[in-house]
Amino acid sequence: MICSCVVGVGLLLTAILVPTLNKGSGAPPPKPHVCQSICEVCGKCTNIDCEDEKCADKCGGEKQTYAFEAENAVLVGAALV
């Protein structure tokens, strides 16, 4: 009877301690994201395909967009404006 209790406690401790002690021996933690597409003006990410949460704030979000038609071009001097 006592022997079975000792074995039971031993198995319980093994079941608890082995996974706890082996946590550090798993795969290495992932490397933090380092953005390679930083805007020199605003410091935000310029890569529209990057989906990392650190790059969620994209460059150009506050800029206005313009659309120009070729028919509206005006020749000034030697260059189209």
Side-chain angles (χ1 to χ4, degrees), residues 1-70:
M1 177 83 175
I2 293 177
C3 185
S4 63
C5 287
V6 171
V7 171
V9 170
L11 289 174
L12 180 63
L13 288 175
T14 303
I16 294 172
L17 293 177
V18 169
T20 304
L21 295 175
N22 285 335
K23 275 189 178 179
S25 65
K31 294 181 181 179
H33 176 73
V34 177
C35 185
Q36 300 297 321
S37 308
I38 302 278
C39 176
E40 294 178 5
V41 176
C42 68
K44 297 177 184 176
C45 179
T46 59
N47 183 352
I48 60 171
D49 295 326
C50 181
E51 296 179 354
D52 193 272
E53 63 184 37
K54 292 182 180 179
C55 291
D57 197 13
K58 300 288 184 197
C59 172
E62 69 281 347
K63 296 179 184 174
Q64 295 180 356
T65 57
Y66 298 96
F68 298 98
E69 295 295 329

